[in-house]
Amino acid sequence: MQGMGLPRTSAKLMVALACVLAVPIVAAPPAVAAATNCAASTGPLDLSTFFASAGSGLVGGDYPHSYPLPDGRVLWLFQDSFVGGPDTPRLDHAGFAHNVALVQTGLCFELRWGGGPAEAPQSFLGGSLEGDLFHWWWPLDGEIGSDGNLHVFAAEFVNGAGTGAGSGATPVAVWRAVIDPVSLTVLTFEPAPDPSDRPLFGFSVTSDEAWSYLYGNCYRQFTEPMFVGWFDLTCNAQVDVARVPKGHFEAVPEYWDGTAWVADRDDAVPVHVDGTFADPLQVERLADGRYVAVSHLDDWFGTAVFAYVAPSATGPFTLYARVPVATACGGECTTYFAGFTPWRTASGSFEIAISNFTWTIATAVEQPWLYRPSVVTVPSPDEPAEPIPVLIEADGTVALRLAGRNGVDREAASVALTLVAAGAQANGYVTVWACGGPRPVASSLNLAPGSTVGNTVIAPVGADGRVCLWASARTELIVDVQGWMTTRSDHHGIDPVRLLDTRPGYATVDGIGAGGGVVRPGQVLRVPVAGRGGVSSASRLVSLNITAAGARAAGFVKVWDCGAEPSTSNLNVVVGQAASNLSVVALGLGGELCAISSVTTHLLVDAQGWWGARGELAPVLPSRLIDSRPGATTVDGFGLVGRPIVGGEVLYVPVAARGSVGLGEAVVLNVVALHADRAGYLTVWPCAAPQPATSNVNFQARAARATLAITTMSEGWVCLAVGGAGRVDVVVDVMGWFPARGGGYVPLVPSRALDTRNR
């Protein structure tokens, strides 16, 4: 490993990590500062993007703790960290420290450590006292004290083998750093008033009007040389609590014994015990006096952030939310540790920082962005909960509250959703509309017995913050939130209206385009849109649900502005099954659109909304970005995979600067699955965020499926993953993009709002 060109400390750490499959790393603060770089906002996606870019010089790090300062800045501390820059290609090309700091001023961050060059930085806390990989400190929680300084607790670790965060690494004491909140100079660093290691009081810190509470966890993760045996199962899943007079962190604490506060720490009893391996709570006090806690249950081996609420600092802590957290690279990666940041989303959700890493050290060395934190959202206990129906009955309606949930603002005008139906007991359809009005005669998703089908929907939100979902047949329903429209958006959501239905005997909103008979291959239909069914005569762009029914062969449908016919399609047609897909289409002269099918079929068109002339959403000539089929072409020759994509594989898709798309905030994609050898699904998301536990395209074996996806971009990129164990060809076409940040559309990392299967 020395031949890899690592600084001495980094090389030794890599050896240690290689021996234990993959364990975390970190760095330090003020004596030395690196370049300052800025995030776009303090929203979860923008913070994840910022950390993923390594623009601050933090090439890798974990266990992020954030400490608000009196002047409005925020001090971040990280454990085992790598120092370099956004162009540092590998972890073994960066300097290593056991802890480092980021100083956040507004949206800009400055990296600091304790001294020395970036190639061999000293840790921010305890750098001059460390013994390389034999002896070091990892930051815990802290607060501003009664003396006006920031007090941060830290765990002192030793490892007699000199392998750092590996087998034998053991916490031996708690220390306390006193930091000047202006200069961020470490004024003192010494053992805490209660320095004992089991548990480490100060793992989490929060205060009420009279007391500061120090929560303790034993943090013993490396006690044995074997996998799960690393964790001391006798203490990692329990949390104790002590207290000192508010802000007097120099005082000796007293301890909760289950009924009263006592002086003898040996009488302390846990206030929380959960999980199999670990449940190290991070606790915050709410303004109403309740206490909320988050934990990445079972640490490296867990898959979700659990949220708890308690009436007092001593509990009981009651579980109220479980938020799945996907890894950055499927089964090769893991997530761990959940900690509060100072921010909340528009809907009131907490923004929670989590750590990411890989199970094989070589992967992290070569791809350092996999060892950088990300930010996810966890609902507050005040966000409205929805009852989950057993399943949707035939002719049944579910009113689903979305305003104030899943990152959607309470004043949202419309929402972008992925709607999935599974286990339908008959052919039929689902309609989505704003609750409060009559159900429209239109479809949002077509049902097929024995198949899992999905579609994207842009639906207005009712006055009560709900959307309604009606099913014509008994089915399970899954709803994933993709984003929302503000009231200042140029998008005007409408309840769906039927503009075209070629089936004899079926109606449209105004009789135009009704009952014209099947569409023949190559026949071009001109469909008037502007000025019909709530679509303004001044509209320039519309969102439409296109449905093909009764097709006599497999094929495709194209919809466009009646100019030059595009080379890409909007909908893939299936024999014997109605297929639908949302399309965002620019209107041609006279407010018309054109449609053509490659096979004989009936066509239906339902309008869901329209955009005016402000240019909030920029349509583009549909262009192919990815095509995995051998011999295929794309708009610029990139994205030619040449083989099917296998289950668990992730594609990194460059979007910006391709097909007339700029470096904007979000992009509209048509994502197609073809030639699958078994059922599965595709998930699309911004690469800076962990992969969400959601889907965009649900496909069956040998059947082509297309779904529109509206997703934010991470520095011009999106990620696409295949779910399931099979192989499938993937095609991605770009249809439009949102150029401006802070416009009327707010993209989100997808999250699940409803799943009737969870019962």
Side-chain angles (χ1 to χ4, degrees), residues 124-150:
F124 184 72
L125 297 180
S128 62
L129 305 174
E130 288 179 344
D132 212 350
L133 298 179
F134 293 87
H135 182 209
W136 67 91
W137 284 262
W138 280 338
L140 302 175
D141 206 0
E143 277 191 351
I144 298 296
S146 60
D147 59 359
N149 292 315
L150 174 64

PDB file of all heavy atoms in Angstrom, residues 124-150:
ATOM      1  N   PHE A 124      -8.288  18.757  14.179  1.00  0.00           N
ATOM      2  CA  PHE A 124      -8.784  19.995  14.776  1.00  0.00           C
ATOM      3  C   PHE A 124      -8.820  19.891  16.294  1.00  0.00           C
ATOM      4  O   PHE A 124      -8.461  20.810  17.014  1.00  0.00           O
ATOM      5  CB  PHE A 124     -10.178  20.281  14.216  1.00  0.00           C
ATOM      6  CG  PHE A 124     -10.785  21.579  14.673  1.00  0.00           C
ATOM      7  CD1 PHE A 124     -10.308  22.789  14.214  1.00  0.00           C
ATOM      8  CD2 PHE A 124     -11.848  21.592  15.558  1.00  0.00           C
ATOM      9  CE1 PHE A 124     -10.878  23.988  14.630  1.00  0.00           C
ATOM     10  CE2 PHE A 124     -12.425  22.778  15.979  1.00  0.00           C
ATOM     11  CZ  PHE A 124     -11.939  23.982  15.513  1.00  0.00           C
ATOM     12  N   LEU A 125      -9.294  18.750  16.809  1.00  0.00           N
ATOM     13  CA  LEU A 125      -9.321  18.507  18.248  1.00  0.00           C
ATOM     14  C   LEU A 125      -8.259  17.469  18.590  1.00  0.00           C
ATOM     15  O   LEU A 125      -8.255  16.368  18.041  1.00  0.00           O
ATOM     16  CB  LEU A 125     -10.690  17.991  18.698  1.00  0.00           C
ATOM     17  CG  LEU A 125     -11.892  18.919  18.499  1.00  0.00           C
ATOM     18  CD1 LEU A 125     -13.168  18.248  19.011  1.00  0.00           C
ATOM     19  CD2 LEU A 125     -11.676  20.256  19.192  1.00  0.00           C
ATOM     20  N   GLY A 126      -7.363  17.832  19.480  1.00  0.00           N
ATOM     21  CA  GLY A 126      -6.377  16.885  19.993  1.00  0.00           C
ATOM     22  C   GLY A 126      -5.256  16.544  19.039  1.00  0.00           C
ATOM     23  O   GLY A 126      -4.546  15.550  19.264  1.00  0.00           O
ATOM     24  N   GLY A 127      -5.072  17.350  17.993  1.00  0.00           N
ATOM     25  CA  GLY A 127      -4.058  17.015  16.998  1.00  0.00           C
ATOM     26  C   GLY A 127      -2.662  16.894  17.560  1.00  0.00           C
ATOM     27  O   GLY A 127      -1.895  16.006  17.175  1.00  0.00           O
ATOM     28  N   SER A 128      -2.312  17.772  18.511  1.00  0.00           N
ATOM     29  CA  SER A 128      -0.961  17.745  19.069  1.00  0.00           C
ATOM     30  C   SER A 128      -0.772  16.615  20.073  1.00  0.00           C
ATOM     31  O   SER A 128       0.361  16.315  20.473  1.00  0.00           O
ATOM     32  CB  SER A 128      -0.656  19.085  19.757  1.00  0.00           C
ATOM     33  OG  SER A 128      -1.555  19.306  20.844  1.00  0.00           O
ATOM     34  N   LEU A 129      -1.867  15.961  20.488  1.00  0.00           N
ATOM     35  CA  LEU A 129      -1.796  14.894  21.481  1.00  0.00           C
ATOM     36  C   LEU A 129      -1.919  13.510  20.872  1.00  0.00           C
ATOM     37  O   LEU A 129      -1.737  12.508  21.564  1.00  0.00           O
ATOM     38  CB  LEU A 129      -2.915  15.079  22.522  1.00  0.00           C
ATOM     39  CG  LEU A 129      -2.977  16.433  23.244  1.00  0.00           C
ATOM     40  CD1 LEU A 129      -4.216  16.494  24.131  1.00  0.00           C
ATOM     41  CD2 LEU A 129      -1.714  16.660  24.059  1.00  0.00           C
ATOM     42  N   GLU A 130      -2.226  13.435  19.595  1.00  0.00           N
ATOM     43  CA  GLU A 130      -2.509  12.157  18.964  1.00  0.00           C
ATOM     44  C   GLU A 130      -1.268  11.288  18.827  1.00  0.00           C
ATOM     45  O   GLU A 130      -0.140  11.792  18.771  1.00  0.00           O
ATOM     46  CB  GLU A 130      -3.110  12.373  17.564  1.00  0.00           C
ATOM     47  CG  GLU A 130      -4.525  12.896  17.589  1.00  0.00           C
ATOM     48  CD  GLU A 130      -5.074  13.119  16.191  1.00  0.00           C
ATOM     49  OE1 GLU A 130      -4.265  13.154  15.227  1.00  0.00           O
ATOM     50  OE2 GLU A 130      -6.297  13.263  16.065  1.00  0.00           O
ATOM     51  N   GLY A 131      -1.520  10.007  18.718  1.00  0.00           N
ATOM     52  CA  GLY A 131      -0.456   9.046  18.454  1.00  0.00           C
ATOM     53  C   GLY A 131      -0.736   8.291  17.179  1.00  0.00           C
ATOM     54  O   GLY A 131      -0.890   7.061  17.207  1.00  0.00           O
ATOM     55  N   ASP A 132      -0.840   9.029  16.085  1.00  0.00           N
ATOM     56  CA  ASP A 132      -1.061   8.439  14.767  1.00  0.00           C
ATOM     57  C   ASP A 132      -2.313   7.565  14.810  1.00  0.00           C
ATOM     58  O   ASP A 132      -3.391   8.047  15.177  1.00  0.00           O
ATOM     59  CB  ASP A 132       0.171   7.660  14.334  1.00  0.00           C
ATOM     60  CG  ASP A 132       0.373   7.697  12.819  1.00  0.00           C
ATOM     61  OD1 ASP A 132      -0.537   8.167  12.123  1.00  0.00           O
ATOM     62  OD2 ASP A 132       1.431   7.270  12.355  1.00  0.00           O
ATOM     63  N   LEU A 133      -2.206   6.293  14.483  1.00  0.00           N
ATOM     64  CA  LEU A 133      -3.368   5.414  14.491  1.00  0.00           C
ATOM     65  C   LEU A 133      -3.474   4.600  15.778  1.00  0.00           C
ATOM     66  O   LEU A 133      -4.252   3.662  15.874  1.00  0.00           O
ATOM     67  CB  LEU A 133      -3.318   4.461  13.291  1.00  0.00           C
ATOM     68  CG  LEU A 133      -3.347   5.145  11.926  1.00  0.00           C
ATOM     69  CD1 LEU A 133      -3.273   4.130  10.810  1.00  0.00           C
ATOM     70  CD2 LEU A 133      -4.583   6.012  11.772  1.00  0.00           C
ATOM     71  N   PHE A 134      -2.690   5.023  16.796  1.00  0.00           N
ATOM     72  CA  PHE A 134      -2.739   4.369  18.110  1.00  0.00           C
ATOM     73  C   PHE A 134      -3.644   5.120  19.089  1.00  0.00           C
ATOM     74  O   PHE A 134      -4.174   4.529  20.016  1.00  0.00           O
ATOM     75  CB  PHE A 134      -1.336   4.269  18.709  1.00  0.00           C
ATOM     76  CG  PHE A 134      -0.407   3.352  17.971  1.00  0.00           C
ATOM     77  CD1 PHE A 134       0.337   3.811  16.899  1.00  0.00           C
ATOM     78  CD2 PHE A 134      -0.286   2.016  18.338  1.00  0.00           C
ATOM     79  CE1 PHE A 134       1.207   2.964  16.216  1.00  0.00           C
ATOM     80  CE2 PHE A 134       0.574   1.166  17.660  1.00  0.00           C
ATOM     81  CZ  PHE A 134       1.316   1.635  16.588  1.00  0.00           C
ATOM     82  N   HIS A 135      -3.816   6.439  18.882  1.00  0.00           N
ATOM     83  CA  HIS A 135      -4.451   7.271  19.907  1.00  0.00           C
ATOM     84  C   HIS A 135      -5.036   8.509  19.229  1.00  0.00           C
ATOM     85  O   HIS A 135      -4.324   9.237  18.526  1.00  0.00           O
ATOM     86  CB  HIS A 135      -3.396   7.685  20.939  1.00  0.00           C
ATOM     87  CG  HIS A 135      -3.936   8.509  22.070  1.00  0.00           C
ATOM     88  ND1 HIS A 135      -3.174   9.434  22.743  1.00  0.00           N
ATOM     89  CD2 HIS A 135      -5.165   8.546  22.653  1.00  0.00           C
ATOM     90  CE1 HIS A 135      -3.897  10.000  23.691  1.00  0.00           C
ATOM     91  NE2 HIS A 135      -5.110   9.465  23.656  1.00  0.00           N
ATOM     92  N   TRP A 136      -6.346   8.776  19.428  1.00  0.00           N
ATOM     93  CA  TRP A 136      -6.973   9.915  18.754  1.00  0.00           C
ATOM     94  C   TRP A 136      -8.298  10.256  19.426  1.00  0.00           C
ATOM     95  O   TRP A 136      -8.727   9.581  20.354  1.00  0.00           O
ATOM     96  CB  TRP A 136      -7.208   9.578  17.271  1.00  0.00           C
ATOM     97  CG  TRP A 136      -8.235   8.499  17.039  1.00  0.00           C
ATOM     98  CD1 TRP A 136      -9.586   8.660  16.846  1.00  0.00           C
ATOM     99  CD2 TRP A 136      -8.010   7.088  17.035  1.00  0.00           C
ATOM    100  NE1 TRP A 136     -10.203   7.444  16.709  1.00  0.00           N
ATOM    101  CE2 TRP A 136      -9.261   6.458  16.804  1.00  0.00           C
ATOM    102  CE3 TRP A 136      -6.872   6.277  17.170  1.00  0.00           C
ATOM    103  CZ2 TRP A 136      -9.408   5.074  16.731  1.00  0.00           C
ATOM    104  CZ3 TRP A 136      -7.019   4.907  17.087  1.00  0.00           C
ATOM    105  CH2 TRP A 136      -8.278   4.322  16.872  1.00  0.00           C
ATOM    106  N   TRP A 137      -8.946  11.322  18.901  1.00  0.00           N
ATOM    107  CA  TRP A 137     -10.241  11.779  19.422  1.00  0.00           C
ATOM    108  C   TRP A 137     -11.237  11.920  18.276  1.00  0.00           C
ATOM    109  O   TRP A 137     -10.882  12.383  17.187  1.00  0.00           O
ATOM    110  CB  TRP A 137     -10.110  13.134  20.128  1.00  0.00           C
ATOM    111  CG  TRP A 137      -9.497  13.034  21.481  1.00  0.00           C
ATOM    112  CD1 TRP A 137     -10.143  13.002  22.682  1.00  0.00           C
ATOM    113  CD2 TRP A 137      -8.089  12.966  21.780  1.00  0.00           C
ATOM    114  NE1 TRP A 137      -9.245  12.906  23.711  1.00  0.00           N
ATOM    115  CE2 TRP A 137      -7.964  12.880  23.189  1.00  0.00           C
ATOM    116  CE3 TRP A 137      -6.923  12.964  21.010  1.00  0.00           C
ATOM    117  CZ2 TRP A 137      -6.739  12.800  23.828  1.00  0.00           C
ATOM    118  CZ3 TRP A 137      -5.703  12.886  21.645  1.00  0.00           C
ATOM    119  CH2 TRP A 137      -5.613  12.804  23.045  1.00  0.00           C
ATOM    120  N   TRP A 138     -12.493  11.507  18.563  1.00  0.00           N
ATOM    121  CA  TRP A 138     -13.587  11.699  17.614  1.00  0.00           C
ATOM    122  C   TRP A 138     -14.620  12.626  18.248  1.00  0.00           C
ATOM    123  O   TRP A 138     -15.049  12.410  19.392  1.00  0.00           O
ATOM    124  CB  TRP A 138     -14.252  10.366  17.280  1.00  0.00           C
ATOM    125  CG  TRP A 138     -13.503   9.560  16.256  1.00  0.00           C
ATOM    126  CD1 TRP A 138     -12.605  10.014  15.344  1.00  0.00           C
ATOM    127  CD2 TRP A 138     -13.629   8.152  16.033  1.00  0.00           C
ATOM    128  NE1 TRP A 138     -12.151   8.992  14.558  1.00  0.00           N
ATOM    129  CE2 TRP A 138     -12.764   7.833  14.954  1.00  0.00           C
ATOM    130  CE3 TRP A 138     -14.378   7.132  16.604  1.00  0.00           C
ATOM    131  CZ2 TRP A 138     -12.636   6.543  14.456  1.00  0.00           C
ATOM    132  CZ3 TRP A 138     -14.257   5.850  16.115  1.00  0.00           C
ATOM    133  CH2 TRP A 138     -13.390   5.559  15.048  1.00  0.00           C
ATOM    134  N   PRO A 139     -15.052  13.674  17.536  1.00  0.00           N
ATOM    135  CA  PRO A 139     -16.019  14.634  18.102  1.00  0.00           C
ATOM    136  C   PRO A 139     -17.369  13.998  18.378  1.00  0.00           C
ATOM    137  O   PRO A 139     -17.829  13.107  17.644  1.00  0.00           O
ATOM    138  CB  PRO A 139     -16.140  15.703  17.009  1.00  0.00           C
ATOM    139  CG  PRO A 139     -14.949  15.516  16.129  1.00  0.00           C
ATOM    140  CD  PRO A 139     -14.613  14.059  16.193  1.00  0.00           C
ATOM    141  N   LEU A 140     -18.011  14.468  19.435  1.00  0.00           N
ATOM    142  CA  LEU A 140     -19.384  14.094  19.764  1.00  0.00           C
ATOM    143  C   LEU A 140     -20.245  15.347  19.637  1.00  0.00           C
ATOM    144  O   LEU A 140     -20.029  16.153  18.748  1.00  0.00           O
ATOM    145  CB  LEU A 140     -19.442  13.471  21.160  1.00  0.00           C
ATOM    146  CG  LEU A 140     -18.555  12.234  21.367  1.00  0.00           C
ATOM    147  CD1 LEU A 140     -18.591  11.780  22.830  1.00  0.00           C
ATOM    148  CD2 LEU A 140     -18.983  11.097  20.445  1.00  0.00           C
ATOM    149  N   ASP A 141     -21.216  15.543  20.517  1.00  0.00           N
ATOM    150  CA  ASP A 141     -22.122  16.686  20.409  1.00  0.00           C
ATOM    151  C   ASP A 141     -21.643  17.826  21.301  1.00  0.00           C
ATOM    152  O   ASP A 141     -20.671  17.677  22.061  1.00  0.00           O
ATOM    153  CB  ASP A 141     -23.544  16.260  20.783  1.00  0.00           C
ATOM    154  CG  ASP A 141     -24.606  17.141  20.132  1.00  0.00           C
ATOM    155  OD1 ASP A 141     -24.249  18.072  19.390  1.00  0.00           O
ATOM    156  OD2 ASP A 141     -25.806  16.888  20.363  1.00  0.00           O
ATOM    157  N   GLY A 142     -22.328  18.954  21.250  1.00  0.00           N
ATOM    158  CA  GLY A 142     -21.964  20.101  22.071  1.00  0.00           C
ATOM    159  C   GLY A 142     -22.956  21.235  21.911  1.00  0.00           C
ATOM    160  O   GLY A 142     -23.867  21.187  21.082  1.00  0.00           O
ATOM    161  N   GLU A 143     -22.781  22.273  22.735  1.00  0.00           N
ATOM    162  CA  GLU A 143     -23.646  23.458  22.713  1.00  0.00           C
ATOM    163  C   GLU A 143     -22.860  24.658  23.216  1.00  0.00           C
ATOM    164  O   GLU A 143     -21.773  24.514  23.801  1.00  0.00           O
ATOM    165  CB  GLU A 143     -24.877  23.269  23.609  1.00  0.00           C
ATOM    166  CG  GLU A 143     -26.029  22.525  22.988  1.00  0.00           C
ATOM    167  CD  GLU A 143     -27.292  22.608  23.838  1.00  0.00           C
ATOM    168  OE1 GLU A 143     -27.206  23.105  24.998  1.00  0.00           O
ATOM    169  OE2 GLU A 143     -28.361  22.188  23.368  1.00  0.00           O
ATOM    170  N   ILE A 144     -23.443  25.839  23.011  1.00  0.00           N
ATOM    171  CA  ILE A 144     -22.903  27.056  23.612  1.00  0.00           C
ATOM    172  C   ILE A 144     -23.136  26.982  25.121  1.00  0.00           C
ATOM    173  O   ILE A 144     -24.243  26.694  25.586  1.00  0.00           O
ATOM    174  CB  ILE A 144     -23.567  28.307  23.023  1.00  0.00           C
ATOM    175  CG1 ILE A 144     -23.278  28.397  21.518  1.00  0.00           C
ATOM    176  CG2 ILE A 144     -23.072  29.564  23.739  1.00  0.00           C
ATOM    177  CD1 ILE A 144     -21.819  28.568  21.165  1.00  0.00           C
ATOM    178  N   GLY A 145     -22.075  27.243  25.889  1.00  0.00           N
ATOM    179  CA  GLY A 145     -22.160  27.161  27.338  1.00  0.00           C
ATOM    180  C   GLY A 145     -22.544  28.476  27.989  1.00  0.00           C
ATOM    181  O   GLY A 145     -22.702  29.509  27.325  1.00  0.00           O
ATOM    182  N   SER A 146     -22.667  28.449  29.308  1.00  0.00           N
ATOM    183  CA  SER A 146     -23.034  29.652  30.058  1.00  0.00           C
ATOM    184  C   SER A 146     -21.964  30.722  29.983  1.00  0.00           C
ATOM    185  O   SER A 146     -22.232  31.902  30.228  1.00  0.00           O
ATOM    186  CB  SER A 146     -23.294  29.277  31.529  1.00  0.00           C
ATOM    187  OG  SER A 146     -22.126  28.693  32.111  1.00  0.00           O
ATOM    188  N   ASP A 147     -20.725  30.351  29.628  1.00  0.00           N
ATOM    189  CA  ASP A 147     -19.645  31.311  29.487  1.00  0.00           C
ATOM    190  C   ASP A 147     -19.576  31.929  28.095  1.00  0.00           C
ATOM    191  O   ASP A 147     -18.684  32.722  27.805  1.00  0.00           O
ATOM    192  CB  ASP A 147     -18.300  30.640  29.811  1.00  0.00           C
ATOM    193  CG  ASP A 147     -18.014  29.437  28.905  1.00  0.00           C
ATOM    194  OD1 ASP A 147     -18.868  29.108  28.048  1.00  0.00           O
ATOM    195  OD2 ASP A 147     -16.947  28.816  29.059  1.00  0.00           O
ATOM    196  N   GLY A 148     -20.521  31.542  27.207  1.00  0.00           N
ATOM    197  CA  GLY A 148     -20.546  32.087  25.857  1.00  0.00           C
ATOM    198  C   GLY A 148     -19.673  31.354  24.870  1.00  0.00           C
ATOM    199  O   GLY A 148     -19.690  31.673  23.670  1.00  0.00           O
ATOM    200  N   ASN A 149     -18.911  30.379  25.330  1.00  0.00           N
ATOM    201  CA  ASN A 149     -18.065  29.585  24.435  1.00  0.00           C
ATOM    202  C   ASN A 149     -18.802  28.322  23.985  1.00  0.00           C
ATOM    203  O   ASN A 149     -19.766  27.888  24.609  1.00  0.00           O
ATOM    204  CB  ASN A 149     -16.768  29.194  25.142  1.00  0.00           C
ATOM    205  CG  ASN A 149     -15.877  30.384  25.407  1.00  0.00           C
ATOM    206  OD1 ASN A 149     -15.682  31.232  24.530  1.00  0.00           O
ATOM    207  ND2 ASN A 149     -15.335  30.476  26.625  1.00  0.00           N
ATOM    208  N   LEU A 150     -18.301  27.733  22.901  1.00  0.00           N
ATOM    209  CA  LEU A 150     -18.838  26.471  22.430  1.00  0.00           C
ATOM    210  C   LEU A 150     -18.127  25.331  23.153  1.00  0.00           C
ATOM    211  O   LEU A 150     -16.888  25.275  23.169  1.00  0.00           O
ATOM    212  CB  LEU A 150     -18.631  26.335  20.919  1.00  0.00           C
ATOM    213  CG  LEU A 150     -19.018  24.981  20.300  1.00  0.00           C
ATOM    214  CD1 LEU A 150     -20.508  24.719  20.438  1.00  0.00           C
ATOM    215  CD2 LEU A 150     -18.584  24.920  18.835  1.00  0.00           C
TER     216      LEU A 150
END
